[in-house]
Amino acid sequence: MTRPVQNFRGCSALLVMAEDRNAQSLKVTLGKLGIIPTHFDPQGSPADLKSSLAAADMAFIDTDMLDAQFVSAIAGLALPVVAVIGIESPSRLQRAFDIEPSAVLMKPVRSNGVYTALYFAFNERQRRQQLLGKLSTIQERQGARRIVVKAILQLMQGLGLNDEEAYRHLRKESMSKRIPVEELAAQILSTSVDKKTRA
C-alpha cells in the first residue's frame, strides 16, 4: 500500500444529512481540519446527489435519513464515504452497509472520532481501489492464459510438437517479433479462425 493519507487540508466534504446539531458539530470539526464542508439535503433528488458527490473529495452520509433510492447513487463510488449512524437497527445497518462506507461515525457527532473516521475512510478506500486494480490485472492475465493454452494446442496439432516445444516456439516467435506471448497467441488464433471462415 502507498503511504497513508494523514492531511485532509483543502479537501471538500459533502454532508448528506439534516441541518441539525450533528451537522453543525461535524462542520466545525471539519473546518478545524481545513476541510470545506458542503451540505446536501437528504430529501433532494438522486441526480442532484450524484452530481454533488462527483464534485466532492469525501462524503458523510447520515444513514438514518437516507432513502433507499440513494443507495445505488452512492454505492461503488471511488470517493471515501463515512456512514453516520445513530440507530443500530438491522435494516438501517444494512442500508449503511449497502452504500459501502470506508468508515463509520456514530451519533451524536462530537469532535473526537471525526479525524479517525477520515483517516480510515481515505486509506481504506485507497486500499480497496488498489485491490480492485490487482484483481482486474489477475483477471486479464487469466483470460490471456486461456488464449496462450489454445495457441499452444494449435501449435502442437499443426506442427506436431509436444506442449513444451510448442510453448518454446511461441516464446521464441514473440521475442523475435518483440510482442508479448499473449498478443502472438491471439494473432495465431485469429489467423486460424480466418482460415476456417474462408474454407
Side-chain angles (χ1 to χ4, degrees):
M1 184 174 143
T2 58
R3 187 181 168 117
V5 178
Q6 298 177 13
N7 183 358
F8 311 104
R9 189 165 296 283
C11 292
S12 63
L14 183 67
L15 311 182
V16 183
M17 55 198 320
E19 282 280 5
D20 58 9
R21 285 185 188 165
N22 292 307
Q24 291 308 316
S25 178
L26 190 53
K27 284 180 182 179
V28 168
T29 305
L30 292 174
K32 289 178 182 176
L33 293 169
I35 298 167
I36 304 151
T38 306
H39 179 260
F40 181 86
D41 184 1
Q43 305 305 318
S45 75
D48 290 341
L49 176 62
K50 212 166 198 167
S51 64
S52 295
L53 286 167
D57 296 315
M58 69 187 87
F60 286 82
I61 313 288
D62 185 340
T63 57
D64 296 336
M65 306 280 299
L66 189 67
D67 193 87
Q69 65 179 337
F70 291 119
V71 172
S72 62
I74 299 167
L77 289 175
L79 96 145
V81 174
V82 178
V84 182
I85 299 173
I87 300 171
E88 296 181 277
S89 70
S91 62
R92 299 264 176 113
L93 291 175
Q94 181 64 50
R95 189 171 299 152
F97 183 76
D98 289 345
I99 64 170
E100 301 174 12
S102 319
V104 172
L105 188 61
M106 298 302 294
K107 289 185 199 173
V109 175
R110 295 188 176 92
S111 60
N112 60 339
V114 173
Y115 179 78
T116 301
L118 284 169
Y119 183 89
F120 275 87
F122 266 84
N123 294 300
E124 180 57 28
R125 184 58 62 173
Q126 183 175 304
R127 182 176 17 206
R128 285 182 194 176
Q129 294 303 106
Q130 288 172 347
L131 289 173
L132 286 173
K134 287 179 184 178
L135 178 63
S136 176
T137 301
I138 289 168
Q139 289 172 334
E140 287 172 14
R141 284 183 185 164
Q142 187 178 20
R145 283 188 181 144
R146 286 195 299 255
I147 293 170
V148 170
V149 168
K150 286 180 181 180
I152 289 171
L153 291 172
Q154 191 167 343
L155 289 172
M156 288 170 61
Q157 188 179 30
L159 301 176
L161 305 171
N162 67 30
D163 61 337
E164 289 180 22
E165 292 169 335
Y167 182 69
R168 274 196 299 270
H169 177 78
L170 190 63
R171 278 192 58 209
K172 186 177 175 183
E173 280 295 310
S174 74
M175 285 191 280
S176 71
K177 293 182 177 186
R178 296 181 182 195
I179 59 172
V181 171
E182 295 83 3
E183 190 176 325
L184 180 63
Q187 288 175 5
I188 290 169
L189 292 177
S190 68
T191 304
S192 74
V193 168
D194 288 346
K195 286 178 183 176
K196 287 178 183 175
T197 54
R198 286 183 201 147

